[in-house]
């Protein structure tokens, strides 16, 4: 059982070598600013496709330098599994065997009491009938037994032995039933705990990085703006599939009907049985996009900007199961699993956006993945040509699928999502009060729901001598429901550092994000 718990902890921690899709996780200055596009933060052009228009001068290029590189970690801690499972181990491996030994010892005392009561009853009846009794040794103990008739003596002893056997057998059956009931009750409590662990315990690590010098934005003479971008991202999640823990051989206790059966019972025949597993999902994406935005109308005080973007995805989706009661090692290491892209699916997503920009306010709306591209995971449950641990794990996956813990075939659809943003700002966007809100929830490639709401205040310094600063709040309205405090700084108008931290909530989940990038002064 100690190996069981150690494997559980190691498997969860090992899963932290993976990462995230920028569309669901904050990246760069968007960690603080959310969906609001600010011309001083080039990374915010990755949200609304129309925002690229705000980033360029009257004509010419604007390019990034390095990053941003974003890393995120979310985790949920379930209730204390160790103490409860250790209690089960102690009961089955320690208290339970000693309990059986105690039953055997107590059964001997019950037998002695039964013999005494039987001989006393027989002696009283024998004397009342005119017979004679005296104290005589039987198995090292003196009892009142007939002394004037060998037939009466033998009858008294036979009756005493029969009564002793009946009494000890009844005692053993009752006590074994009590011990079994205690074990079953503890198993029920442990399985209830495991269910809670399965619902609340997870580790999710994410990272995304932009290609050097991207995004690249070019504004034409006609004032149309083209943007190209490329990034790589990976996200991984480990959770617990809390299959019920059972003690095999426990029902064999029902066959114990006598002290002899108890003495012959093989305690070593008891063992743990469960398909409880660490379930890991991983998605990695090589993403290239090309966008276009243009101002379609303008008044003295405001302008309307439209934008569109095509996202080309090369997405690899995979899953891995580690059965905690399996002693052997898989033929595929964790490192190979996390970094493998043996099966890649390609598809295209379409984003549309609009911005109403005025001197002192800005409103925007974005619809991402309008066409809702779909991708398939590598299926589980094909056990052909497998052997050893891989075969056992594959069979466990089929059993878990039959119980409804997972699906052998799974797909991921990039569902459409609308994001609305609004900001009060200075004329040059150096100062902003901004908010953004996802109008609907969507699932990321690993099945976690996201619907972000953000609020922020920011100041981008016009001189390299003073840093730009920003702070805010972001909350996932669904799923983990984590609430993040966010902050960022721009040093020398080039180096952007942003962080977000969510303390543990009522569900036991917490999270943190970090982003760093270096751009050219604008």
């Amino acid at each position: 059982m100690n190996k069981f718990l150690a494997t559980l902890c190691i498997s969860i921690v090992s899963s932290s070598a993976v990462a995230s899709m920028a569309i669901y996780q904050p990246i760069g200055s968007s960690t603080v600013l959310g969906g609001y596009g600010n011309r001083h933060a080039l990374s915010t052009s990755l949200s609304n496709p129309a925002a690229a228009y705000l980033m360029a001068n009257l004509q010419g290029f604007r390019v990034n330098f390095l990053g941003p590189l974003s890393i995120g970690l979310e985790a949920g801690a379930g209730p204390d599994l160790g103490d409860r499972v250790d209690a089960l181990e102690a009961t089955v491996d320690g208290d339970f065997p000693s309990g059986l030994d105690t039953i055997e010892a107590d059964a001997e005392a019950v037998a002695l009491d039964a013999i005494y009561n039987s001989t006393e009853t027989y002696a009283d009846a024998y004397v009342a009938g005119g017979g004679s009794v005296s104290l005589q040794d039987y198995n090292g103990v003196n009892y009142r037994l007939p002394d004037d008739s060998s037939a009466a003596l033998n009858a008294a002893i036979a009756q005493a032995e029969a009564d002793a056997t009946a009494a000890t057998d009844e005692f053993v059956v009752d006590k074994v039933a009590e011990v079994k009931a205690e074990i079953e009750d503890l198993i029920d409590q442990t399985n209830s705990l495991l269910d809670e662990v399965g619902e609340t315990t997870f580790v999710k690590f994410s990272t995304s990085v932009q290609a050097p010098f991207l995004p690249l934005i070019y504004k034409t003479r006609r004032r149309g703006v083209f943007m190209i971008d490329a990034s790589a991202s990976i996200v991984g999640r480990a959770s617990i599939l809390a299959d019920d823990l059972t003690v095999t051989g426990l029902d064999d206790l029902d066959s114990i009907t006598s002290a002899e059966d108890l003495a012959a019972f093989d305690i070593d025949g008891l063992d743990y049985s469960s398909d409880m597993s660490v379930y890991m999902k991983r998605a990695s994406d090589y993403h290239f996009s090309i966008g276009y935005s243009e101002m379609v109308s303008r008044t003295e005080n405001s302008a309307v900007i439209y934008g569109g973007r095509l996202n080309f995805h090369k997405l690899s989706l995979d899953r891995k199961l580690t059965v905690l009661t399996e002693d052997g090692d898989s033929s595929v290491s964790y490192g190979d699993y996390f970094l493998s892209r043996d099966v890649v699916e390609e598809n295209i997503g379409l984003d549309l956006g609009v911005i109403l920009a005025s001197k002192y306010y800005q409103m925007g709306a974005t619809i991402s993945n309008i066409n809702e591209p779909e991708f398939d995971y590598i299926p589980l449950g094909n056990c052909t040509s497998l052997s050893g641990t891989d075969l056992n794990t594959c069979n466990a996956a089929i059993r878990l699928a039959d119980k409804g813990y997972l699906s052998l075939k799974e797909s991921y659809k990039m569902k459409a999502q609308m994001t609305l943003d609004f900001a009060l700002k200075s004329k040059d966007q150096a100062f902003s009060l901004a908010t953004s809100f996802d109008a609907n929830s969507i699932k990321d490639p690993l099945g976690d729901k996201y619907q972000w709401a953000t609020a922020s205040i920011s100041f981008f310094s016009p001189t390299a001598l003073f840093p730009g600063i920003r702070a805010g709040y972001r909350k996932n309205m669904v799923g983990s429901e984590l609430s993040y405090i966010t902050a960022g700084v721009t040093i020398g108008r080039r180096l952007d550092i942003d962080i977000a931290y969510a303390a543990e909530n009522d569900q036991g989940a917490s999270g943190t994000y970090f982003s760093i990038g270096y751009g050219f002064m604008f």
Side-chain angles (χ1 to χ4, degrees):
M1 182 61 69
N2 290 332
K3 179 180 180 181
F4 173 89
L5 294 174
T7 306
L8 172 63
C9 297
I10 292 172
S11 299
I12 291 180
V13 173
S14 298
S15 71
S16 298
V18 272
S20 150
M21 317 295 289
I23 189 172
Y24 306 104
Q25 312 287 346
I27 184 171
S29 297
S30 294
T31 303
V32 179
L33 302 181
Y36 164 57
N38 188 303
R39 66 196 303 266
H40 298 284
L42 187 57
S43 60
T44 62
S45 66
L46 303 175
S47 300
N48 190 324
Y53 189 90
L54 304 173
M55 306 294 161
N57 288 314
L58 295 180
Q59 181 183 346
F61 288 93
R62 183 178 179 184
V63 299
N64 189 32
F65 184 42
L66 293 176
L69 167 67
S70 292
I71 299 173
L73 175 67
E74 291 184 353
D80 188 2
L81 172 65
D83 290 345
R84 196 69 61 86
V85 178
D86 284 346
L88 177 63
E89 176 191 19
T91 299
V92 176
D93 290 344
D95 297 344
F96 178 58
S98 63
L100 294 182
D101 293 339
T102 300
I103 293 175
E104 291 189 75
D106 291 344
E108 294 179 1
V110 169
L112 291 175
D113 288 342
I115 292 174
Y116 174 80
N117 293 332
S118 179
T119 55
E120 285 295 303
T121 299
Y122 192 95
D124 290 343
Y126 190 71
V127 170
S132 169
V133 297
S134 63
L135 290 177
Q136 301 182 49
D137 178 78
Y138 173 67
N139 290 337
V141 180
N142 290 326
Y143 298 98
R144 292 171 62 214
L145 294 171
D147 57 5
D148 57 354
S149 169
S150 59
L153 175 63
N154 292 334
I157 293 175
Q159 183 62 49
E161 290 178 344
D163 290 344
T165 299
T168 54
D169 288 350
E170 181 180 359
F171 174 80
V172 165
V173 170
D174 290 344
K175 290 300 180 180
V176 168
E178 290 179 9
V179 171
K180 181 185 177 185
E182 291 176 2
I183 295 291
E184 290 175 335
D185 181 63
L186 185 56
I187 291 175
D188 289 341
Q189 294 179 38
T190 301
N191 285 330
S192 177
L193 176 67
L194 294 179
D195 289 339
E196 190 173 349
V197 168
E199 293 174 358
T200 59
T201 303
F202 73 95
V203 173
K204 184 175 186 178
F205 185 83
S206 59
T207 192
S208 182
V209 63
Q210 298 297 117
F213 304 105
L214 295 179
L216 182 151
I217 295 173
Y218 175 68
K219 180 175 282 188
T220 68
R221 291 181 180 180
R222 295 174 56 88
R223 303 293 177 86
V225 174
F226 291 92
M227 185 183 81
I228 61 173
D229 179 52
S231 65
S233 54
I234 183 172
V235 58
R237 187 184 199 275
S239 57
I240 303 297
L241 299 184
D243 185 43
D244 284 349
L245 185 68
T246 61
V247 179
T248 58
L250 194 59
D251 289 340
D252 293 342
L253 292 175
D254 294 334
S255 64
I256 297 178
T257 59
S258 66
E260 291 182 357
D261 293 340
L262 178 61
F265 184 76
D266 182 14
I267 296 178
D268 294 335
L270 298 175
D271 198 7
Y272 303 99
S273 176
S274 175
D275 286 326
M276 183 177 180
S277 304
V278 173
Y279 182 45
M280 288 164 281
K281 302 177 74 174
R282 182 266 299 153
S284 64
D285 186 25
Y286 293 161
H287 163 246
F288 173 80
S289 66
I290 181 169
Y292 178 80
S293 56
E294 183 175 330
M295 183 170 58
V296 294
S297 69
R298 182 176 182 177
T299 68
E300 182 178 350
N301 296 315
S302 64
V304 176
I305 305 165
Y306 287 166
R309 181 170 54 221
L310 287 175
N311 303 292
F312 301 87
H313 296 279
K314 298 185 69 173
L315 191 61
S316 176
L317 301 171
D318 201 3
R319 296 175 289 172
K320 181 178 176 64
L321 201 68
T322 300
V323 182
L324 297 179
T325 53
E326 180 63 43
D327 293 330
D329 295 325
S330 170
S331 62
V332 179
S333 68
Y334 289 118
D336 291 342
Y337 160 73
F338 294 140
L339 300 178
S340 171
R341 287 179 58 88
D342 294 336
V343 179
V344 176
E345 293 202 345
E346 300 181 7
N347 214 327
I348 300 174
L350 172 63
D351 303 340
L352 295 178
V354 60
I355 290 177
L356 173 62
S358 181
K359 289 183 180 180
Y360 302 111
Y361 69 87
Q362 180 175 304
M363 294 187 294
T366 306
I367 302 179
S368 59
N369 296 311
I370 292 177
N371 59 321
E372 298 190 340
E374 191 167 359
F375 307 83
D376 291 327
Y377 272 89
I378 298 175
L380 299 175
N382 183 5
C383 304
T384 305
S385 75
L386 298 180
S387 60
T389 298
D390 293 335
L391 178 60
N392 295 337
T393 300
C394 183
N395 289 328
I398 295 174
R399 291 191 296 270
L400 290 169
D402 291 339
K403 297 175 183 178
Y405 287 105
L406 56 83
S407 175
L408 297 178
K409 293 184 178 180
E410 186 173 338
S411 62
Y412 161 61
K413 177 179 287 189
M414 288 184 174
K415 301 288 289 185
Q417 184 178 50
M418 173 177 282
T419 301
L420 305 174
D421 64 88
F422 176 79
L424 297 175
K425 64 183 184 65
S426 60
K427 186 176 180 180
D428 61 355
Q429 286 193 305
F431 174 78
S432 299
L433 285 170
T435 183
S436 67
F437 179 77
D438 294 335
N440 62 292
S441 67
I442 53 175
K443 291 182 179 180
D444 75 353
L446 309 186
D448 292 321
K449 289 184 177 182
Y450 286 95
Q451 185 179 7
W452 290 112
T454 67
S456 65
I457 182 171
S458 61
F459 172 73
F460 288 89
S461 175
T463 172
L465 297 177
F466 298 98
I469 56 174
R470 49 198 170 272
Y473 173 84
R474 71 163 46 235
K475 180 176 177 61
N476 185 9
M477 308 298 291
V478 295
S480 64
E481 298 184 354
L482 285 172
S483 298
Y484 287 86
I485 301 298
T486 61
V489 61
T490 300
I491 302 174
R493 298 182 66 188
R494 292 178 175 87
L495 179 63
D496 292 316
I497 300 174
D498 293 87
I499 59 174
Y501 173 72
E504 184 174 313
N505 62 11
D506 293 339
Q507 300 179 28
S510 59
T512 184
Y513 289 97
F514 173 79
S515 177
I516 185 171
Y518 191 90
F520 294 111
M521 185 182 297
F522 178 74

